[in-house]
C-alpha cells in the first residue's frame, strides 16, 4: 500500500464509504499505531472525534470506595521518575497531562481547552511549533490555580539532567514558553511530525511549580511532594506506603462536572497475578486488577465464578522471535555477534523463510495465551475486530522442509540438514516464563520435523532484560541464533519503535550493547525510509513510509512475529471503566463509575 | 561478666565488617540492574539509563562504592532506594509495625501451641495424645507455608467467604470494628506461620522434656512424695526449657526479617516483602540495609542467648 492508496482510503472515509473505525483498523493491520492513523484523518480535514464514553452519574461523589489491585506495587509517586508502568499508573490518580490518548488513538483534552490542529491555528504548518490553550479555572489540590507557568516549569524540570527524570528525552530539545497565563508554546528544533509527546499521556503529567520549584535538579529527590503528590486529578492524596499501597479521596473541586464518582480510591500492590485475578473475579474483594498475565485456562475458570469480567485492552505489544544476522559463535575483538560477521546459515534467506513457516502461531494463541495473545503476521498489530483480512501467515512443516531442500540444505546422517559442512543447529533463547518455555517447545518440535535441530535456553528475566555490560546472557548481547521476547509499544508514535532496525542503532561492544537494533540487520534502504519518515510532516506520506518499513522487516524475515499481546484487566461486574492501550489504565479514572 | 560482654562486642565489630563486605560484594557482582525497565523500553534512549547509573554512582568500582556505603552507614545515613527514591530507614520503619504485629503474633501462637502440647506429650510418651500430637506436628512442618496458605485462602476466603485474603495495613475504621478488621485479616497469615513454627517447636519441646524426665533428681523428687504438678513444672520443665529458650532467642531476629513467602501470598506489607521486591528490582541499598540489620540482630541475639544461658543455668560461668 503506498501513499496513493492511502489517499484513496481517506477519500472513502470522507465520502462516508468507509467507517472511521474500519480505516483505523486497516492502518493498524499494516503496522501503524491507532494514533498515527487518526492523525492522518485529522490532517486530511476529517476532524477527530473522541470515542464517546457514556458517563451516567449525575452528581459528584456518593460512589463509596473504589479498590484496585496492582500485583506490582507502586514504589513512587512522581510521574517523571516513574520508570515502571505501575508507578505511572499510581501517579496518574493524582496528576494529569494536557491530553490523553483514547482507545482509537484520538487525543482527548484533559487539562487543555482544545486539541491543537493546523485548522484551529495552534499547530504550525511547518511542524516547528505547537501552541496549547489551557483550561481555565483548574486548581491544584491545595487550592492554587493551574497556569501556563506550571507547564513551563514541568518541561524545565524534566529537561534538567540533574533531576534524573526518566522522560528527559521528551523535553530536553524543546523550548517551552508562556504566551499568557493560559497559553503555552512548544518550539521544536526541527520539523517534528510527532508533536504530541511533551505534556501528553504518561510522560506529560504536569507538576505544580509551587510544590516542586525548589526541588529541580540535584535535590529533586528531597521534594516532600514526591511522596505526597499535589495534582489536579479527580482524587486527592491521602496516604502512600511505597511498595504497598496508595490511597486518595474525592477532589471536591475537580474541573469536570459530576466527577469523580467514588468517594475514596485505594490502590493495593504486591502479590502475584493469579491471586489478583482471584480477588476480583472470584472473591470480589477488589474492583479492578491490572495486567492479568495469567494462563488463559485459569482466567476462564475464575470468570465462571460470576463476580467479574475480563477486559481486553488493544495496544501494541508484540511477542516476537528475532533472528541474528551476525555470527553468535565467533569471537571478534572481545565480542560475539559482532558486526562484520555473517550468520553461518541465517544469512541464507531460504533458511529464514523456512523458520518463519515453522512457528505455529495458532497453537501458541490457542493453547497458551487465549485472548491475551493473538496470532499475528505483522510486527505491529491490534485486536481481531480491527484486523485486515489480507494479512496471513503459514505454518507448514512440509513447505519449510521443501524450501530448505531446494536451497541445498540436505539431511545429514543424524537427520539435521547441512550444506557445505554447516549444520542447521539453532540455539533459541528467551526469558524464564512458563508460556515462553511452552512456546519454545512448540517451535522446537516443528523445527526438528523439518530437519533443524534446536537447543533451548531460558535465562532468568532479571538477567535477560538487564543492561549489564559484563553479562553475555542479556537480550542485547544476543549470543544465540534466535531469541524471543515482547517489545512493549505503549507510545503512540511508531517512530521510536521502528528505530530498532536502523543501521546506526546496532547493539555492539562499542556502545555497551545499548543500541536498539538487536538483530543487527542492516539495510541502507530502510535507513533512508526511516530518515524520511522522521522529517515527513504529512501524516499520510509518513504512514506510507512506515508501512513500507514494516513490510521490509517482515518480508526479509528479520523478525518472526508470534502473538500480539493486548492488555488484560479484571473488572468487577458492576464497574464501568474507560481503558486505552495507548495510554495508562488510569488515563480516564475520572470517568469510572459503578452501576 | 562485664569483661565477657565487652569482649563479645569487640569480636562482633570485625564480624559485622566482614559480613557487610561479603554482602556488598555479592550484591554488586550479582546480575541485574535497577534500571533494567528502562533498557527494554524502546521509547527511552539508552543515554537516559546511563545518566541515571552515573548519578547514582553505579558505575564506580565496587570497593569505592562499598567505602562510600560504609562511611554513610557510620554516620547513620542508610542511603536511599534507587527504585522509590525514598530514604531506606523510612521504608523500613514504615513496614516495621506490621511485621512485628503479624510475625510477633505468629511466634506467640507457635509458643502457645508448642509448650503445652510438647510438655503434655512428653510426660505421657506414646499415649494416644502423643501419637496424635506427633502426627500433626509432622504434617505441620512438612507442609510448606505457600501450600497451607493457598489451602486456607481457598477454604476461608473463596468457599466460605469468612476472611479477606488481601492484607491492608491502612484500615482506619475507628473503634472496636477497626480492631476486629485488623484481627480478621491477620488470622490466616498468623495461623499459617504460627502453626508451621509451632509444629517444629513442639517436637523440640517434647524431646527436651523427655530428656529431663529421665534424670535422677526427678526420680528423687517423686520419691520425696512431691505432687506430680510440682515435679513437672519445677523439676522437669524448668530444666528442659533451657535449650528451648536459646532456640527461641535465636529465632527472634526472624521476627524482624519477616516471612517472605507468606507475606507475598497474603500481600502483607512486611519487611519480607520489602526484601523480596527489592531483590527483584535490584534495589541494592534496601537489600543491603535489610540484610545487614538482620546480621546485626543475629549477632546481638546470639549474645543475649549466651547471657540468658548463664542466668538460667548456674553451672555456666563466663570467667
Amino acid at each position: 500500500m503506498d501513499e496513493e492508496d492511502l489517499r484513496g482510503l481517506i477519500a472513502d472515509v470522507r465520502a462516508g464509504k468507509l467507517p472511521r473505525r474500519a480505516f483505523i483498523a486497516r492502518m493498524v493491520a499494516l503496522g501503524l499505531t491507532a494514533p498515527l492513523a487518526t492523525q492522518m484523518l485529522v490532517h486530511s480535514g476529517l476532524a477527530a472525534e473522541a470515542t464517546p464514553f457514556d458517563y451516567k452519574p449525575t452528581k459528584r461523589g456518593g460512589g463509596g470506595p473504589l479498590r484496585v489491585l496492582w500485583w506490582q506495587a507502586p514504589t513512587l509517586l512522581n510521574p517523571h521518575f516513574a520508570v515502571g508502568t505501575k508507578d505511572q499508573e499510581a501517579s496518574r490518580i493524582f496528576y494529569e497531562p494536557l491530553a490523553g490518548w483514547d482507545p482509537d488513538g484520538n487525543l482527548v483534552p484533559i487539562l487543555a481547552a482544545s486539541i491543537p490542529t493546523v485548522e484551529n491555528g495552534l499547530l504550525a504548518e511547518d511542524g516547528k511549533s505547537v501552541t496549547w490553550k489551557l483550561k481555565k479555572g483548574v486548581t491544584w489540590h491545595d487550592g492554587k490555580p493551574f497556569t501556563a507557568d506550571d507547564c513551563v516549569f514541568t518541561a524545565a524540570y524534566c529537561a534538567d539532567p540533574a533531576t534524573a527524570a526518566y522522560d528527559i528525552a521528551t523535553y530536553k530539545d524543546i523550548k517551552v514558553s508562556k504566551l499568557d497565563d493560559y497559553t503555552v508554546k512548544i518550539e521544536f528544533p526541527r520539523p517534528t511530525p510527532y508533536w504530541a509527546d511533551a505534556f501528553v499521556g504518561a510522560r506529560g503529567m504536569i507538576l505544580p511549580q509551587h510544590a516542586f520549584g525548589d526541588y529541580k535538579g540535584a535535590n529533586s529527590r528531597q521534594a516532600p511532594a514526591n511522596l505526597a503528590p499535589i495534582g489536579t486529578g479527580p482524587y486527592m492524596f491521602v496516604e502512600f506506603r511505597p511498595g504497598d499501597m496508595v490511597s486518595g479521596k474525592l477532589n471536591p473541586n475537580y474541573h469536570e462536572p459530576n466527577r469523580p464518582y467514588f468517594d475514596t480510591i485505594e490502590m493495593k500492590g504486591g502479590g502475584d497475578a493469579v491471586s489478583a485475578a482471584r480477588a476480583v473475579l472470584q472473591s470480589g474483594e477488589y474492583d479492578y486488577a491490572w495486567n492479568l498475565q495469567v494462563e488463559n485456562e485459569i482466567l476462564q475458570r475464575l470468570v465462571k465464578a460470576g463476580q467479574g469480567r475480563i477486559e481486553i485492552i488493544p495496544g501494541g505489544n508484540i511477542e516476537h522471535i528475532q533472528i541474528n544476522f551476525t555470527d553468535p559463535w565467533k569471537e571478534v575483538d572481545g565480542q560475539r555477534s559482532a558486526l562484520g560477521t555473517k550468520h553461518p546459515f541465517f544469512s541464507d534467506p531460504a533458511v529464514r523463510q523456512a523458520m518463519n513457516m515453522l512457528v505455529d502461531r495458532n497453537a501458541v494463541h490457542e493453547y497458551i495465551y487465549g485472548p491475551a495473545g493473538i496470532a499475528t503476521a505483522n510486527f505491529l498489530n491490534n485486536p481481531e475486530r480491527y484486523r485486515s483480512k489480507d494479512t496471513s501467515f503459514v505454518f507448514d512443516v512440509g513447505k519449510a522442509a521443501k524450501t530448505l531442500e531446494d536451497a541445498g540444505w540436505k539431511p545429514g546422517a543424524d537427520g539435521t540438514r547441512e550444506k557445505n559442512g554447516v549444520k542447521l543447529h539453532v540455539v533459541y533463547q528467551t526469558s524464564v516464563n512458563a508460556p515462553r518455555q511452552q512456546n519454545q517447545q512448540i517451535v522446537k518440535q516443528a523445527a526438528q520435523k523439518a530437519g533443524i535441530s534446536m537447543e533451548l535456553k531460558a535465562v532468568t528475566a532479571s538477567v535477560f532484560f538487564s543492561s549489564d555490560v559484563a553479562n553475555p546472557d542479556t537480550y542485547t548481547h544476543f549470543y544465540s541464533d534466535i531469541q524471543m521476547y515482547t517489545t512493549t509499544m505503549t507510545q503512540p508514535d511508531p517512530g521510536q519503535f521502528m528505530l530498532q532496525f536502523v543501521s546506526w542503532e546496532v547493539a555492539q561492544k562499542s556502545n555497551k550493547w545499548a543500541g536498539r537494533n538487536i538483530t543487527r540487520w542492516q539495510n541502507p534502504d530502510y535507513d533512508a525510509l526511516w530518515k524520511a519518515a522522521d522529517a515527513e510532516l504529512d501524516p499520510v506520506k509518513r504512514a506510507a513510509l512506515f508501512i513500507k518499513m514494516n513490510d521490509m522487516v517482515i518480508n526479509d524475515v528479520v523478525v518472526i512475529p508470534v502473538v500480539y499481546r493486548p492488555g488484560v484487566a479484571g473488572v468487577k461486574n458492576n464497574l464501568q471503566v474507560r481503558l486505552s492501550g495507548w495510554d495508562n489504565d488510569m488515563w480516564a479514572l475520572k470517568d469510572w463509575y459503578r452501576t | 561478666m562485664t569483661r565477657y560482654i565487652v569482649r563479645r562486642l569487640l569480636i562482633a565489630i570485625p564480624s559485622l565488617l566482614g559480613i557487610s563486605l561479603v554482602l556488598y560484594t555479592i550484591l554488586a557482582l550479582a546480575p541485574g540492574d535497577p534500571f533494567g525497565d528502562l533498557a527494554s523500553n524502546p521509547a527511552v534512549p539508552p543515554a537516559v539509563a546511563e545518566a541515571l547509573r552515573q548519578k547514582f554512582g553505579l558505575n564506580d568500582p565496587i570497593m569505592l562504592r562499598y567505602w562510600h556505603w560504609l562511611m554513610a552507614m557510620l554516620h547513620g545515613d542508610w542511603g536511599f532506594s534507587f527504585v522509590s527514591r525514598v530514604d531506606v530507614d523510612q521504608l523500613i520503619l514504615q513496614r516495621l509495625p506490621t511485621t512485628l504485629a503479624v510475625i510477633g503474633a505468629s511466634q506467640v501462637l507457635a509458643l502457645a501451641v508448642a509448650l503445652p502440647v510438647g510438655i503434655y506429650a512428653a510426660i505421657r510418651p506414646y499415649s494416644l495424645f502423643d501419637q496424635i500430637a506427633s502426627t500433626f506436628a509432622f504434617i505441620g512442618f512438612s507442609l510448606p507455608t505457600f501450600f497451607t496458605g493457598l489451602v486456607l485462602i481457598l477454604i476461608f476466603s473463596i468457599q466460605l467467604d469468612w476472611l479477606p485474603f488481601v492484607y491492608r495495613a491502612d484500615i482506619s475504621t475507628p473503634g472496636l470494628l477497626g480492631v476486629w478488621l485488623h484481627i480478621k485479616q491477620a488470622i490466616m497469615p498468623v495461623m499459617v506461620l504460627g502453626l508451621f513454627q509451632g509444629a517444629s517447636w513442639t517436637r523440640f519441646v517434647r524431646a527436651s522434656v523427655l530428656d529431663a524426665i529421665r534424670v535422677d533428681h526427678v526420680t528423687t523428687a517423686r520419691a520425696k512424695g512431691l505432687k506430680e504438678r510440682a515435679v513437672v513444672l519445677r523439676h522437669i520443665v524448668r530444666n528442659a526449657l533451657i535449650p528451648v529458650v536459646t532456640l527461641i532467642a535465636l529465632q527472634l531476629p526472624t521476627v524482624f526479617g519477616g516471612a517472605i513467602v507468606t507475606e507475598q501470598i497474603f500481600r502483607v506489607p512486611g519487611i519480607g516483602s520489602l526484601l523480596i521486591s527489592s531483590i527483584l528490582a535490584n534495589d541494592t541499598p534496601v537489600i543491603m540495609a535489610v540484610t545487614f540489620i538482620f546480621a546485626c540482630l543475629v549477632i546481638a541475639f546470639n549474645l543475649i542467648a549466651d547471657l540468658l544461658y548463664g542466668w538460667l543455668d548456674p553451672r555456666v560461668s563466663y570467667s
Side-chain angles (χ1 to χ4, degrees), chain B:
Chain B
M1 182 82 170
T2 324
R3 277 193 53 181
Y4 174 77
I5 297 177
V6 170
R7 208 177 71 221
R8 285 287 298 265
L9 287 178
L10 285 178
I11 293 173
I13 294 175
S15 5
L16 282 176
L17 271 179
I19 291 171
S20 71
L21 183 65
V22 170
L23 281 176
Y24 205 95
T25 321
I26 290 178
L27 285 178
L29 292 178
D33 178 341
F35 306 111
D37 265 15
L38 287 180
S40 55
N41 182 345
V44 178
V48 173
E50 192 52 35
L52 278 169
R53 291 177 62 88
Q54 198 72 41
K55 184 177 156 96
F56 291 162
L58 286 171
N59 290 340
D60 297 339
I62 296 176
M63 280 307 130
L64 189 67
R65 275 154 62 195
Y66 173 70
W67 181 250
H68 287 316
W69 176 83
L70 190 66
M71 284 300 117
M73 195 75 179
L74 289 179
H75 287 100
D77 173 7
W78 300 32
F80 64 91
S81 154
F82 292 152
V83 172
S84 61
R85 306 198 191 185
V86 173
D87 288 332
V88 172
D89 44 355
Q90 219 181 320
L91 275 180
I92 293 179
L93 281 179
Q94 216 163 19
R95 303 231 170 187
L96 207 50
T98 310
T99 313
L100 292 182
V102 173
I103 316 289
S106 70
Q107 303 284 311
V108 171
L109 174 73
L111 214 53
V113 170
L115 280 184
V117 174
I119 293 170
Y120 196 78
I123 50 181
R124 283 177 184 70
Y126 310 111
S127 64
L128 184 64
F129 179 84
D130 184 28
Q131 306 276 8
I132 295 174
S134 297
T135 310
F136 274 99
F138 269 112
I139 295 176
F141 65 74
S142 307
L143 290 180
T145 50
F146 65 82
F147 180 75
T148 42
L150 287 180
V151 170
L152 287 190
I153 288 180
L154 279 180
I155 296 175
F156 292 104
S157 297
I158 309 287
Q159 297 297 330
L160 299 171
D161 201 15
W162 288 351
L163 303 169
F165 70 91
V166 177
Y167 190 99
R168 296 170 56 209
D170 65 317
I171 292 179
S172 55
T173 320
L176 283 176
L177 181 65
V179 176
W180 168 236
L181 286 178
H182 269 291
I183 293 176
K184 206 167 128 182
Q185 65 178 355
I187 292 177
M188 283 199 290
V190 168
M191 292 286 268
V192 166
L193 286 170
L195 294 181
F196 181 71
Q197 184 79 74
S200 57
W201 281 359
T202 305
R203 297 294 299 165
F204 196 80
V205 170
R206 180 182 175 275
S208 179
V209 171
L210 264 184
D211 278 346
I213 274 180
R214 298 194 196 106
V215 189
D216 290 345
H217 76 262
V218 177
T219 320
T220 315
R222 286 223 170 86
K224 267 195 323 192
L226 279 183
K227 285 213 177 79
E228 183 62 15
R229 191 184 157 81
V231 174
V232 170
L233 287 181
R234 294 189 51 124
H235 296 269
I236 300 176
V237 172
R238 192 166 165 197
N239 281 313
L241 282 192
I242 295 174
V244 176
V245 166
T246 327
L247 184 76
I248 291 167
L250 291 183
Q251 192 72 42
L252 279 179
T254 47
V255 175
F256 170 83
I260 293 176
V261 176
T262 316
E263 285 183 14
Q264 201 70 7
I265 294 175
F266 293 100
R267 296 181 163 81
V268 178
I271 291 183
S273 73
L274 177 69
L275 182 62
I276 191 72
S277 58
S278 307
I279 291 175
L280 291 177
N282 297 301
D283 196 353
T284 331
V286 181
I287 309 175
M288 198 55 214
V290 173
T291 45
F292 188 64
I293 295 175
F294 198 68
C296 293
L297 286 178
V298 169
I299 287 182
F301 276 94
N302 248 311
L303 176 60
I304 293 173
D306 284 349
L307 294 177
L308 272 180
Y309 224 77
W311 178 66
L312 283 170
D313 188 346
R315 284 167 300 183
V316 178
S317 85
Y318 294 110
S319 47

Side-chain angles (χ1 to χ4, degrees), chain A residues 422-502:
Chain A
V422 180
K423 274 181 176 294
L424 288 184
H425 179 77
V426 175
V427 175
Y428 178 12
Q429 73 176 12
T430 186
S431 70
V432 174
N433 172 296
R436 289 205 172 120
Q437 267 72 70
Q438 292 170 0
N439 178 320
Q440 281 184 314
Q441 289 297 342
I442 291 177
V443 175
K444 182 179 177 174
Q445 278 175 15
Q448 268 165 346
K449 277 188 211 148
I452 299 176
S453 74
M454 196 170 272
E455 185 183 325
L456 302 181
K457 184 174 165 188
V459 185
T460 322
S462 63
V463 173
F464 191 64
F465 294 113
S466 82
S467 55
D468 191 344
V469 175
N471 198 315
D473 285 333
T474 72
Y475 76 104
T476 56
H477 279 74
F478 201 178
Y479 286 180
S480 72
D481 300 300
I482 57 178
Q483 66 179 2
M484 172 175 62
Y485 63 92
T486 288
T487 6
T488 50
M489 156 88 188
T490 45
Q491 68 281 10
D493 189 79
Q496 282 291 331
F497 196 78
M498 297 311 263
L499 191 63
Q500 55 186 311
F501 300 107
V502 299

Side-chain angles (χ1 to χ4, degrees), chain A residues 366-395:
Chain A
E366 256 168 67
Y367 300 112
I368 307 180
Y369 291 102
I374 297 151
T376 179
N378 265 310
F379 190 43
L380 295 168
N381 227 311
N382 227 341
E384 203 152 15
R385 64 175 191 274
Y386 287 164
R387 183 158 339 124
S388 147
K389 297 285 177 276
D390 19 276
T391 54
S392 65
F393 49 80
V394 260
F395 167 65

